[in-house]
Amino acid sequence: MQPAHHTLTVSLPPAVTDTALAAALTTAAELWWPGDRRRPRLWTESVPAPAASDAAARRRAAEARRPLAPGHRLRAVLLRYADEGHRADVVLTADASALDARSLRLVARVLRGDLAPAAVTPLAGPLPLDLRLDGETRRLASAFALAVGRYEGASAVRVAVPVPARDRPPYALGALDGHAVFTADLSPGRTVAELLATEPAAPAEGDDPPLLELMASDGPAVLPTGPGALPVPSHQVERIRQQLLTSPPNTCLSRLNPLSEAESAEQLVLGAGPKDPKALRIDEAFAAQVASRPDAPALTAGPTTLSYAELDRRAEVLADGLCAHGVRPGDLVGLCLPRSTDLVAAMLAVLKADAVHVPLDPEHPADRRERTARDAGVRLTVTDPAALTGHPPRPTAPRRKPGSPAYVIHTSGSTGRPKGVLVPHLNVTALVDAVRDDFGLSPDDTWTCFHSAAFDFSVWEIWGALLTGGRLVVVDHWTTRSPEDFHALLVRERVSVLSQTPSAFTQLAAADRGAQDAVGVRLVVLGGEPLDARPLLDWFDLHPEDRCRLVNMYGITETTVHVTATTVTRRQALAGSRSVGRPLPGWSVRVLDAHGRPVPPGAPGEIVVGGAGVALGYLNRPGLTAERFVPDPLDPAGRRLYRSGDLGRLLPDGTLEHLGRVDDQVKVRGFRIELGEIRHVLLEDPAVSAAAVTVTGGGGGDAAAVRIDAYVVPAPGAGEDPGPVRERAARLLPAHMVPATVTVLPALPLTANGKLDPAGLPPPGARRAPVTAPAPAPAAAAHGTAPGAVLASIWRDVLGVEAVGPDDDFWDLGGNSLYAIRIGTLARERGLPEVPLRQLYLTPTLGALSEALSLET
């Protein structure tokens, strides 16, 4: 429990000479430890600086940190300074297993001449400990634990507290005193009285000693001193100690604040962006590009390329059609269109008509799209742009201001109802303006639109290209599912700016390693989910940092795609950095506690975003808007803050680290998911009386292995076949939210408090760990194995199932888009014919896929 050694620095009277001090030490050592050949001697050193100087303080601290030589119980070093005749110090260092802190103070008294050596009696220890704590020590231990708990986000903190030996003689010498373990319970709801009532315990045999410790003194215990002695600032521990002394006993611990008002103000300034962007509408900013570059290529989809002028004219025609169909300023218009030039033109047309577009992904189930359109209250849904052509020009009218809504994107909602996020024009133009110079965005760039229009990453891709004069290449559905095809598109179209989720980029990087032609990408923007930087090392080998810049961006739909940015370097990748960088110009980030106060630098808390990107709120959800979009007391313009629900820490240099979620919201392959929405959909099924949803897998950073599992209790009279339950969920949820498994239980396991006990849920099925990366294997023909059997083996390896039959469905076995890509890669490596990703989607059973590929079974 005790430290390996401890030290005491003793100031000597000016009259004490080196000779007298050495003699006193020798006399005492011969008396206390007769026959010991390793008795301590006095070492003398000169410090070429005044005693009060910083250099002298550093020398004393260095001596205090220096360990003892093995087998020695005590070291004494006399330090004499340049201002001779004034102060001299003796730094005493003792082996904690031989001399405790009280013994070290006795040695100091003897050397100062205040106590005769014969008055001190060595004793063998240890003696029984007195575990009773005085009030001051108890408050200090509580304050120390609470301060450290705030920085570490810990709900329990252990502190080693010095306690005296019981019935110790006043001048006994040895390792007689000891340490007790003070375990502070800092769980939510705990009060000052409960913390101060904590009783220390004797250290358990074999238990690791606490990393935190208080030091013994002549009175109550004290904090350790010296450079690096404390993991938190000592003045913040003292501030909490004072609050423990003065706060009512029933005060919640969460209300105790380690920061002063000045420190809180510094933390708020630390996360502020330096720029307030100019307010523009999206269509106004696009019109400026049309005016300056009318004939430049703007949009490519397949073989079709439109210039800026052609795209503008196409959008004008569609805007006229929208007005002819009754769309008025402020109306919401659903866009359910495949990836094409028409999709982008229709987005622009809605904005030109001064309306608000609501993307409805045609790949989502029809029931899901209908629910979303109903929730938004759209005026009409565009599914065929041809219906909007051939109408007379709309009358000229002034458009609403840049602060008016531009689009609504729906995110997962815990009540089963997706939340529509209402984002104004000026947020998007501010985002592009914030990074234009830093990222070097110019008309020379070619971008890809890889992501669904219903995923806000597409907002960045589309307008990042078109508002900076670049060319946007729309990637079709099947190409997004094939890393090899996508890589070929990047080469063919000479793409220079690429945006990807880390999950998708991992697959693309693997295809890049095996490709003959190199991509010419100069900027890769990663976002949408947490980044594990270590797998990027292979990318850096082929694409050095001076040729291709990798930027990791953290953001939220409610704060307009991106909030912070950091350039990822090889050094950061080697270190596995969790940094998401500093806020963009015009944005701000704060890390606050449960009471809305800044937490100490480096301590975890909720990430709260302010500034230019904060959305208008949730569509038709005033209660939820008021809960998550809160007033910013520091913004003279009256803008609001968004409480993200993400955990993070703001470091002293102003960079942000992302630590996960406060609630049960999760990210699955870049998509933000509320497990409560999935559970709500399951409970709407008349055949289900109770349900639970969990997320498993993903260890080692393998995003493909993340799996949603559902557990249901049948309603009275309902059958126990989970198939219909999952089929109904698949009609209402997008593919990334459909549970991989549905397990039927007679009842859900509950805790003593009647809550779900996740630990009591059985495994969802007999699965072994899926392979995390394709492993080379000999060609099937070399072993004489039927190709159909090889394909079945690949399914077993990738999906982690024990057996697979011809009627087993890839998706029902837990398949997802990343696993589909992995199966195609393994098939090639094991000598099978090409497995087109489209074919796996069209023939998802093993038998049908084998037949389509003409494989012998």
PDB file of all heavy atoms in Angstrom, residues 19-46:
ATOM      1  N   THR A  19      30.244  19.370   8.897  1.00  0.00           N
ATOM      2  CA  THR A  19      30.905  18.371   9.746  1.00  0.00           C
ATOM      3  C   THR A  19      30.012  17.935  10.889  1.00  0.00           C
ATOM      4  O   THR A  19      29.878  16.740  11.173  1.00  0.00           O
ATOM      5  CB  THR A  19      32.223  18.963  10.303  1.00  0.00           C
ATOM      6  OG1 THR A  19      33.053  19.373   9.212  1.00  0.00           O
ATOM      7  CG2 THR A  19      32.957  17.934  11.152  1.00  0.00           C
ATOM      8  N   ALA A  20      29.349  18.897  11.511  1.00  0.00           N
ATOM      9  CA  ALA A  20      28.469  18.565  12.631  1.00  0.00           C
ATOM     10  C   ALA A  20      27.285  17.728  12.166  1.00  0.00           C
ATOM     11  O   ALA A  20      26.860  16.784  12.841  1.00  0.00           O
ATOM     12  CB  ALA A  20      27.988  19.848  13.307  1.00  0.00           C
ATOM     13  N   LEU A  21      26.772  18.069  10.990  1.00  0.00           N
ATOM     14  CA  LEU A  21      25.615  17.326  10.479  1.00  0.00           C
ATOM     15  C   LEU A  21      26.004  15.893  10.150  1.00  0.00           C
ATOM     16  O   LEU A  21      25.278  14.936  10.476  1.00  0.00           O
ATOM     17  CB  LEU A  21      25.069  18.027   9.239  1.00  0.00           C
ATOM     18  CG  LEU A  21      23.715  17.525   8.721  1.00  0.00           C
ATOM     19  CD1 LEU A  21      22.632  17.804   9.738  1.00  0.00           C
ATOM     20  CD2 LEU A  21      23.368  18.209   7.403  1.00  0.00           C
ATOM     21  N   ALA A  22      27.170  15.714   9.510  1.00  0.00           N
ATOM     22  CA  ALA A  22      27.621  14.362   9.164  1.00  0.00           C
ATOM     23  C   ALA A  22      27.857  13.542  10.416  1.00  0.00           C
ATOM     24  O   ALA A  22      27.511  12.351  10.477  1.00  0.00           O
ATOM     25  CB  ALA A  22      28.888  14.441   8.322  1.00  0.00           C
ATOM     26  N   ALA A  23      28.425  14.169  11.451  1.00  0.00           N
ATOM     27  CA  ALA A  23      28.677  13.459  12.703  1.00  0.00           C
ATOM     28  C   ALA A  23      27.381  13.036  13.375  1.00  0.00           C
ATOM     29  O   ALA A  23      27.270  11.921  13.907  1.00  0.00           O
ATOM     30  CB  ALA A  23      29.507  14.341  13.630  1.00  0.00           C
ATOM     31  N   ALA A  24      26.378  13.926  13.358  1.00  0.00           N
ATOM     32  CA  ALA A  24      25.092  13.592  13.974  1.00  0.00           C
ATOM     33  C   ALA A  24      24.449  12.406  13.275  1.00  0.00           C
ATOM     34  O   ALA A  24      23.886  11.505  13.915  1.00  0.00           O
ATOM     35  CB  ALA A  24      24.172  14.808  13.938  1.00  0.00           C
ATOM     36  N   LEU A  25      24.537  12.369  11.954  1.00  0.00           N
ATOM     37  CA  LEU A  25      23.943  11.263  11.205  1.00  0.00           C
ATOM     38  C   LEU A  25      24.683   9.962  11.493  1.00  0.00           C
ATOM     39  O   LEU A  25      24.055   8.907  11.679  1.00  0.00           O
ATOM     40  CB  LEU A  25      23.969  11.576   9.708  1.00  0.00           C
ATOM     41  CG  LEU A  25      23.375  10.498   8.785  1.00  0.00           C
ATOM     42  CD1 LEU A  25      21.904  10.238   9.106  1.00  0.00           C
ATOM     43  CD2 LEU A  25      23.512  10.903   7.318  1.00  0.00           C
ATOM     44  N   THR A  26      26.011  10.023  11.539  1.00  0.00           N
ATOM     45  CA  THR A  26      26.785   8.808  11.797  1.00  0.00           C
ATOM     46  C   THR A  26      26.491   8.267  13.181  1.00  0.00           C
ATOM     47  O   THR A  26      26.292   7.053  13.366  1.00  0.00           O
ATOM     48  CB  THR A  26      28.284   9.117  11.650  1.00  0.00           C
ATOM     49  OG1 THR A  26      28.532   9.562  10.312  1.00  0.00           O
ATOM     50  CG2 THR A  26      29.120   7.885  11.949  1.00  0.00           C
ATOM     51  N   THR A  27      26.455   9.149  14.175  1.00  0.00           N
ATOM     52  CA  THR A  27      26.178   8.718  15.554  1.00  0.00           C
ATOM     53  C   THR A  27      24.805   8.058  15.648  1.00  0.00           C
ATOM     54  O   THR A  27      24.636   6.997  16.255  1.00  0.00           O
ATOM     55  CB  THR A  27      26.244   9.927  16.496  1.00  0.00           C
ATOM     56  OG1 THR A  27      27.567  10.501  16.437  1.00  0.00           O
ATOM     57  CG2 THR A  27      25.936   9.523  17.931  1.00  0.00           C
ATOM     58  N   ALA A  28      23.810   8.708  15.055  1.00  0.00           N
ATOM     59  CA  ALA A  28      22.448   8.171  15.141  1.00  0.00           C
ATOM     60  C   ALA A  28      22.351   6.827  14.426  1.00  0.00           C
ATOM     61  O   ALA A  28      21.740   5.872  14.930  1.00  0.00           O
ATOM     62  CB  ALA A  28      21.464   9.166  14.541  1.00  0.00           C
ATOM     63  N   ALA A  29      22.956   6.702  13.243  1.00  0.00           N
ATOM     64  CA  ALA A  29      22.867   5.457  12.481  1.00  0.00           C
ATOM     65  C   ALA A  29      23.530   4.305  13.203  1.00  0.00           C
ATOM     66  O   ALA A  29      23.030   3.169  13.193  1.00  0.00           O
ATOM     67  CB  ALA A  29      23.483   5.662  11.105  1.00  0.00           C
ATOM     68  N   GLU A  30      24.683   4.546  13.869  1.00  0.00           N
ATOM     69  CA  GLU A  30      25.365   3.476  14.606  1.00  0.00           C
ATOM     70  C   GLU A  30      24.529   3.019  15.793  1.00  0.00           C
ATOM     71  O   GLU A  30      24.530   1.839  16.157  1.00  0.00           O
ATOM     72  CB  GLU A  30      26.727   3.969  15.082  1.00  0.00           C
ATOM     73  CG  GLU A  30      27.741   4.138  13.958  1.00  0.00           C
ATOM     74  CD  GLU A  30      29.054   4.731  14.444  1.00  0.00           C
ATOM     75  OE1 GLU A  30      29.079   5.202  15.610  1.00  0.00           O
ATOM     76  OE2 GLU A  30      30.023   4.726  13.668  1.00  0.00           O
ATOM     77  N   LEU A  31      23.798   3.969  16.380  1.00  0.00           N
ATOM     78  CA  LEU A  31      22.954   3.629  17.532  1.00  0.00           C
ATOM     79  C   LEU A  31      21.701   2.868  17.101  1.00  0.00           C
ATOM     80  O   LEU A  31      21.308   1.889  17.737  1.00  0.00           O
ATOM     81  CB  LEU A  31      22.577   4.908  18.280  1.00  0.00           C
ATOM     82  CG  LEU A  31      21.675   4.752  19.514  1.00  0.00           C
ATOM     83  CD1 LEU A  31      22.380   3.944  20.601  1.00  0.00           C
ATOM     84  CD2 LEU A  31      21.263   6.117  20.068  1.00  0.00           C
ATOM     85  N   TRP A  32      21.093   3.301  16.017  1.00  0.00           N
ATOM     86  CA  TRP A  32      19.813   2.698  15.597  1.00  0.00           C
ATOM     87  C   TRP A  32      19.997   1.390  14.841  1.00  0.00           C
ATOM     88  O   TRP A  32      19.189   0.477  14.982  1.00  0.00           O
ATOM     89  CB  TRP A  32      19.057   3.688  14.686  1.00  0.00           C
ATOM     90  CG  TRP A  32      18.676   4.974  15.358  1.00  0.00           C
ATOM     91  CD1 TRP A  32      18.510   5.180  16.692  1.00  0.00           C
ATOM     92  CD2 TRP A  32      18.447   6.231  14.722  1.00  0.00           C
ATOM     93  NE1 TRP A  32      18.184   6.483  16.955  1.00  0.00           N
ATOM     94  CE2 TRP A  32      18.125   7.162  15.744  1.00  0.00           C
ATOM     95  CE3 TRP A  32      18.481   6.687  13.402  1.00  0.00           C
ATOM     96  CZ2 TRP A  32      17.841   8.506  15.485  1.00  0.00           C
ATOM     97  CZ3 TRP A  32      18.181   8.011  13.134  1.00  0.00           C
ATOM     98  CH2 TRP A  32      17.874   8.924  14.166  1.00  0.00           C
ATOM     99  N   TRP A  33      21.029   1.308  14.026  1.00  0.00           N
ATOM    100  CA  TRP A  33      21.191   0.122  13.181  1.00  0.00           C
ATOM    101  C   TRP A  33      22.618  -0.426  13.318  1.00  0.00           C
ATOM    102  O   TRP A  33      23.411  -0.414  12.359  1.00  0.00           O
ATOM    103  CB  TRP A  33      20.923   0.482  11.710  1.00  0.00           C
ATOM    104  CG  TRP A  33      19.561   1.110  11.512  1.00  0.00           C
ATOM    105  CD1 TRP A  33      18.378   0.569  11.796  1.00  0.00           C
ATOM    106  CD2 TRP A  33      19.313   2.434  11.002  1.00  0.00           C
ATOM    107  NE1 TRP A  33      17.358   1.444  11.499  1.00  0.00           N
ATOM    108  CE2 TRP A  33      17.906   2.609  11.003  1.00  0.00           C
ATOM    109  CE3 TRP A  33      20.131   3.483  10.548  1.00  0.00           C
ATOM    110  CZ2 TRP A  33      17.302   3.795  10.584  1.00  0.00           C
ATOM    111  CZ3 TRP A  33      19.538   4.649  10.120  1.00  0.00           C
ATOM    112  CH2 TRP A  33      18.131   4.802  10.146  1.00  0.00           C
ATOM    113  N   PRO A  34      22.965  -0.885  14.500  1.00  0.00           N
ATOM    114  CA  PRO A  34      24.334  -1.380  14.719  1.00  0.00           C
ATOM    115  C   PRO A  34      24.614  -2.616  13.845  1.00  0.00           C
ATOM    116  O   PRO A  34      23.752  -3.471  13.654  1.00  0.00           O
ATOM    117  CB  PRO A  34      24.365  -1.727  16.203  1.00  0.00           C
ATOM    118  CG  PRO A  34      22.933  -1.943  16.579  1.00  0.00           C
ATOM    119  CD  PRO A  34      22.132  -1.003  15.708  1.00  0.00           C
ATOM    120  N   GLY A  35      25.822  -2.667  13.316  1.00  0.00           N
ATOM    121  CA  GLY A  35      26.228  -3.804  12.496  1.00  0.00           C
ATOM    122  C   GLY A  35      25.754  -3.767  11.058  1.00  0.00           C
ATOM    123  O   GLY A  35      26.111  -4.649  10.266  1.00  0.00           O
ATOM    124  N   ASP A  36      24.950  -2.763  10.693  1.00  0.00           N
ATOM    125  CA  ASP A  36      24.472  -2.661   9.304  1.00  0.00           C
ATOM    126  C   ASP A  36      25.544  -1.961   8.466  1.00  0.00           C
ATOM    127  O   ASP A  36      25.888  -0.802   8.726  1.00  0.00           O
ATOM    128  CB  ASP A  36      23.161  -1.877   9.256  1.00  0.00           C
ATOM    129  CG  ASP A  36      22.515  -1.919   7.873  1.00  0.00           C
ATOM    130  OD1 ASP A  36      23.204  -2.261   6.901  1.00  0.00           O
ATOM    131  OD2 ASP A  36      21.306  -1.611   7.778  1.00  0.00           O
ATOM    132  N   ARG A  37      26.090  -2.657   7.467  1.00  0.00           N
ATOM    133  CA  ARG A  37      27.155  -2.074   6.657  1.00  0.00           C
ATOM    134  C   ARG A  37      26.625  -1.039   5.667  1.00  0.00           C
ATOM    135  O   ARG A  37      27.393  -0.342   5.017  1.00  0.00           O
ATOM    136  CB  ARG A  37      27.886  -3.182   5.885  1.00  0.00           C
ATOM    137  CG  ARG A  37      28.717  -4.092   6.807  1.00  0.00           C
ATOM    138  CD  ARG A  37      29.393  -5.194   6.023  1.00  0.00           C
ATOM    139  NE  ARG A  37      28.411  -6.080   5.405  1.00  0.00           N
ATOM    140  CZ  ARG A  37      28.744  -7.121   4.633  1.00  0.00           C
ATOM    141  NH1 ARG A  37      30.012  -7.369   4.365  1.00  0.00           N
ATOM    142  NH2 ARG A  37      27.806  -7.890   4.117  1.00  0.00           N
ATOM    143  N   ARG A  38      25.287  -0.935   5.547  1.00  0.00           N
ATOM    144  CA  ARG A  38      24.708   0.034   4.624  1.00  0.00           C
ATOM    145  C   ARG A  38      24.100   1.219   5.368  1.00  0.00           C
ATOM    146  O   ARG A  38      23.084   1.769   4.970  1.00  0.00           O
ATOM    147  CB  ARG A  38      23.653  -0.635   3.735  1.00  0.00           C
ATOM    148  CG  ARG A  38      24.256  -1.675   2.801  1.00  0.00           C
ATOM    149  CD  ARG A  38      23.197  -2.281   1.925  1.00  0.00           C
ATOM    150  NE  ARG A  38      23.775  -3.165   0.927  1.00  0.00           N
ATOM    151  CZ  ARG A  38      23.082  -3.870   0.042  1.00  0.00           C
ATOM    152  NH1 ARG A  38      21.756  -3.780   0.044  1.00  0.00           N
ATOM    153  NH2 ARG A  38      23.682  -4.656  -0.822  1.00  0.00           N
ATOM    154  N   ARG A  39      24.783   1.570   6.502  1.00  0.00           N
ATOM    155  CA  ARG A  39      24.298   2.719   7.244  1.00  0.00           C
ATOM    156  C   ARG A  39      24.440   3.986   6.390  1.00  0.00           C
ATOM    157  O   ARG A  39      25.399   4.126   5.631  1.00  0.00           O
ATOM    158  CB  ARG A  39      25.060   2.883   8.553  1.00  0.00           C
ATOM    159  CG  ARG A  39      24.714   1.809   9.596  1.00  0.00           C
ATOM    160  CD  ARG A  39      25.182   2.218  10.965  1.00  0.00           C
ATOM    161  NE  ARG A  39      26.647   2.359  11.021  1.00  0.00           N
ATOM    162  CZ  ARG A  39      27.469   1.385  11.395  1.00  0.00           C
ATOM    163  NH1 ARG A  39      26.981   0.193  11.739  1.00  0.00           N
ATOM    164  NH2 ARG A  39      28.772   1.592  11.439  1.00  0.00           N
ATOM    165  N   PRO A  40      23.484   4.915   6.492  1.00  0.00           N
ATOM    166  CA  PRO A  40      23.527   6.115   5.650  1.00  0.00           C
ATOM    167  C   PRO A  40      24.680   7.039   6.006  1.00  0.00           C
ATOM    168  O   PRO A  40      25.143   7.076   7.142  1.00  0.00           O
ATOM    169  CB  PRO A  40      22.184   6.787   5.940  1.00  0.00           C
ATOM    170  CG  PRO A  40      21.830   6.332   7.311  1.00  0.00           C
ATOM    171  CD  PRO A  40      22.326   4.917   7.415  1.00  0.00           C
ATOM    172  N   ARG A  41      25.178   7.768   5.044  1.00  0.00           N
ATOM    173  CA  ARG A  41      26.170   8.804   5.219  1.00  0.00           C
ATOM    174  C   ARG A  41      25.627  10.083   4.602  1.00  0.00           C
ATOM    175  O   ARG A  41      24.658  10.061   3.838  1.00  0.00           O
ATOM    176  CB  ARG A  41      27.496   8.431   4.560  1.00  0.00           C
ATOM    177  CG  ARG A  41      27.354   7.975   3.125  1.00  0.00           C
ATOM    178  CD  ARG A  41      28.646   7.985   2.370  1.00  0.00           C
ATOM    179  NE  ARG A  41      29.100   9.346   2.120  1.00  0.00           N
ATOM    180  CZ  ARG A  41      30.082   9.667   1.278  1.00  0.00           C
ATOM    181  NH1 ARG A  41      30.743   8.696   0.653  1.00  0.00           N
ATOM    182  NH2 ARG A  41      30.431  10.919   1.080  1.00  0.00           N
ATOM    183  N   LEU A  42      26.237  11.200   4.931  1.00  0.00           N
ATOM    184  CA  LEU A  42      25.795  12.487   4.414  1.00  0.00           C
ATOM    185  C   LEU A  42      26.503  12.800   3.098  1.00  0.00           C
ATOM    186  O   LEU A  42      27.733  12.751   3.005  1.00  0.00           O
ATOM    187  CB  LEU A  42      26.086  13.594   5.427  1.00  0.00           C
ATOM    188  CG  LEU A  42      25.629  15.000   5.016  1.00  0.00           C
ATOM    189  CD1 LEU A  42      24.104  15.071   4.980  1.00  0.00           C
ATOM    190  CD2 LEU A  42      26.186  16.054   5.965  1.00  0.00           C
ATOM    191  N   TRP A  43      25.686  13.123   2.077  1.00  0.00           N
ATOM    192  CA  TRP A  43      26.221  13.575   0.795  1.00  0.00           C
ATOM    193  C   TRP A  43      26.002  15.083   0.703  1.00  0.00           C
ATOM    194  O   TRP A  43      24.950  15.595   1.065  1.00  0.00           O
ATOM    195  CB  TRP A  43      25.491  12.890  -0.368  1.00  0.00           C
ATOM    196  CG  TRP A  43      25.601  11.392  -0.329  1.00  0.00           C
ATOM    197  CD1 TRP A  43      24.785  10.524   0.320  1.00  0.00           C
ATOM    198  CD2 TRP A  43      26.595  10.599  -0.963  1.00  0.00           C
ATOM    199  NE1 TRP A  43      25.180   9.229   0.148  1.00  0.00           N
ATOM    200  CE2 TRP A  43      26.306   9.236  -0.654  1.00  0.00           C
ATOM    201  CE3 TRP A  43      27.708  10.880  -1.764  1.00  0.00           C
ATOM    202  CZ2 TRP A  43      27.080   8.187  -1.099  1.00  0.00           C
ATOM    203  CZ3 TRP A  43      28.485   9.825  -2.230  1.00  0.00           C
ATOM    204  CH2 TRP A  43      28.171   8.493  -1.901  1.00  0.00           C
ATOM    205  N   THR A  44      27.005  15.782   0.209  1.00  0.00           N
ATOM    206  CA  THR A  44      26.920  17.240   0.111  1.00  0.00           C
ATOM    207  C   THR A  44      27.055  17.667  -1.338  1.00  0.00           C
ATOM    208  O   THR A  44      27.940  17.192  -2.050  1.00  0.00           O
ATOM    209  CB  THR A  44      28.011  17.914   0.951  1.00  0.00           C
ATOM    210  OG1 THR A  44      27.894  17.466   2.311  1.00  0.00           O
ATOM    211  CG2 THR A  44      27.870  19.435   0.899  1.00  0.00           C
ATOM    212  N   GLU A  45      26.153  18.557  -1.775  1.00  0.00           N
ATOM    213  CA  GLU A  45      26.206  19.068  -3.140  1.00  0.00           C
ATOM    214  C   GLU A  45      26.019  20.579  -3.132  1.00  0.00           C
ATOM    215  O   GLU A  45      25.294  21.123  -2.296  1.00  0.00           O
ATOM    216  CB  GLU A  45      25.112  18.432  -4.006  1.00  0.00           C
ATOM    217  CG  GLU A  45      25.287  16.939  -4.226  1.00  0.00           C
ATOM    218  CD  GLU A  45      24.284  16.376  -5.221  1.00  0.00           C
ATOM    219  OE1 GLU A  45      23.678  17.198  -5.955  1.00  0.00           O
ATOM    220  OE2 GLU A  45      24.123  15.165  -5.269  1.00  0.00           O
ATOM    221  N   SER A  46      26.675  21.239  -4.078  1.00  0.00           N
ATOM    222  CA  SER A  46      26.546  22.686  -4.236  1.00  0.00           C
ATOM    223  C   SER A  46      25.591  22.971  -5.383  1.00  0.00           C
ATOM    224  O   SER A  46      25.703  22.384  -6.462  1.00  0.00           O
ATOM    225  CB  SER A  46      27.913  23.321  -4.525  1.00  0.00           C
ATOM    226  OG  SER A  46      28.782  23.138  -3.426  1.00  0.00           O
TER     227      SER A  46
END
